[in-house]
Amino acid sequence: MSSPNLTPLEDALTRLLSEAPVVTGVETVALADSLGRVLAENHYVPADVPPADNSAVDGYALRKQDLRGDRAIPVSARIPAGEAPKALAPGTAARIFTGSEIPEGADSVVMQERVEVTDAGIIVQAEVTEGQNIRRQGQDLARGDLALAKGTQVRPHEMGLLASMGVARVAVLARLKVAILSTGDELVDPGTPLAPGQIYNSNRFTLIGLLTQAGCEVALCETLRDKREATRETLLRAAESADLIITSGGVSVGEEDHVRAVLEESGSLSLWRMAIKPGKPVAFGAIGGTPVLGLPGNPGSVLVTFLMVGLPYIRKRQGRNQKPPVGERIPADFSVTSTSVRREFVRARKEIRGSEPVVTPFPNQSSGILSSACWADGLAVVPENTTVSPGDLLTYYSFAELLS
């Protein structure tokens, strides 16, 4: 069971995803610039791919019934790729290359390695099956088929598929514009000497990297000072230029935590405090009509809450057709002796012990230790109200899967 004052992760995600409007803007980009973008429309196959039967190998096109033991078959034509062939003369073969169109009258292609070339022609030195080494018209894509659905994120594979259909420019959804607001008078930018009591603003750069990798556009990036009115003014200004505001810090219960209070006073607050560790003080609301996701201030908590809460929300708003991460079940190489009402995401990595994989945690799981995430390759999940003994199976999410 979880605390009545803490929202379970699944309930929080259900709430957030139900309030995640997909961006409506559409822009057309060159195919070469489409990597990572989300398709704004379905793509149907305009013509068969390949457009005609073609050879899968370098070799000789022939008619199987013309084979007569060791008798040589004369070569009557040469068919390079890119040229339309003439019909194959009966009783002959045609020299053909990978990708070349199969001539009318041929029903098989024999690899050149299976052929002896003589003055009289070729002698086939292998069994021939009708249709062998021929890529049939429409084998990859048939005209009218749905090739790529709206909401597909474009990877190199999709770029190649679109190119194979002759697509030069692609309609994609506009990038989600996100404002990053860090809270705290103690924060200074890297490159500035630290005065007593100051720390460098690491969360800003963690979020810039995560949002860039997620295909978002960072529309605004500022530090909020610990003043109620300044916080309100900056949030309202950010709401004018962004589709989403992400804050770090300022959502807990301290006297200087103003983000949550401003949302309650000048906007709305629909979620606060989640049953996860690290990252309990997560807030979600809106101000000026723009959604606000308030993350904790500790660097480790920022990473975990963004991956487990922020990223699913962002992907929904981006219109992506994407299934949630599956993870893998791996034996634990550690123990947890006391239970918690919060689900814990342990910064860990998969290692091999003997011949079997195990999941090993970073020794210090403090939410302020960002180096733990650099050491780790992913997150191991310790369920609520659960102890762990070495060998127990845990779900492990690699960072690669979470960020893909």
Side-chain angles (χ1 to χ4, degrees), residues 56 61 63 83 88 156 169 210 221-222 240 262 271 287 299 308 315 342 377:
R63 185 184 295 105
E83 291 188 10
L88 182 66
R169 296 185 65 79
L210 289 166
C221 203
E222 293 187 11
E240 296 176 356
V262 168
L271 172 70
I287 191 167
M308 304 314 300
R315 285 171 173 156
R342 294 192 285 163
D377 293 324

Side-chain angles (χ1 to χ4, degrees), residues 84-274:
K86 296 180 180 179
L88 182 66
T92 70
R95 180 73 166 112
I96 198 166
F97 301 90
T98 302
S100 297
E101 186 174 331
I102 302 297
E104 181 184 348
D107 61 19
S108 308
V109 175
V110 182
M111 294 177 63
Q112 61 188 17
E113 292 85 353
R114 301 291 187 267
V115 167
E116 179 186 351
V117 181
T118 70
D119 292 340
I122 62 168
I123 299 173
V124 177
Q125 299 177 320
E127 290 292 325
V128 175
T129 302
E130 188 172 316
Q132 72 179 34
N133 297 320
I134 294 177
R135 294 188 291 222
R136 295 298 183 186
Q137 177 178 342
Q139 173 181 299
D140 189 5
L141 299 169
R143 181 178 179 180
D145 285 352
L146 176 63
L148 294 171
K150 176 182 177 179
T152 299
Q153 186 184 22
V154 179
R155 301 169 296 176
H157 338 326
E158 282 78 21
M159 292 176 71
L161 187 59
L162 289 165
S164 76
M165 298 189 297
V167 176
R169 296 185 65 79
V170 188
V172 295
L173 294 177
R175 293 189 189 277
L176 190 72
K177 296 180 180 179
V178 184
I180 301 173
L181 303 179
S182 309
T183 68
D185 289 338
E186 75 280 11
L187 299 177
V188 297
D189 291 336
T192 304
L194 289 178
Q198 294 182 329
I199 59 172
Y200 289 121
N201 187 350
S202 62
N203 289 338
R204 170 186 293 179
F205 294 91
T206 298
L207 288 170
I208 288 175
L210 289 166
L211 290 166
T212 301
Q213 191 163 349
C216 298
E217 176 186 334
V218 177
L220 180 70
C221 203
E222 293 187 11
T223 298
L224 293 173
R225 295 306 167 194
D226 292 328
K227 303 294 181 184
R228 183 71 56 88
E229 282 308 310
T231 297
R232 191 188 331 273
E233 291 172 5
T234 305
L235 283 169
L236 287 169
R237 178 162 50 84
E240 296 176 356
S241 61
D243 302 308
L244 171 66
I245 301 170
I246 294 182
T247 65
S248 62
V251 291
S252 192
V253 294
E255 293 180 3
E256 302 299 328
D257 292 321
H258 299 297
V259 172
R260 179 177 60 85
V262 168
L263 291 178
E264 290 178 317
E265 294 169 358
S266 302
S268 63
L269 183 68
S270 60
L271 172 70
W272 182 53
R273 291 165 55 91
M274 289 179 53

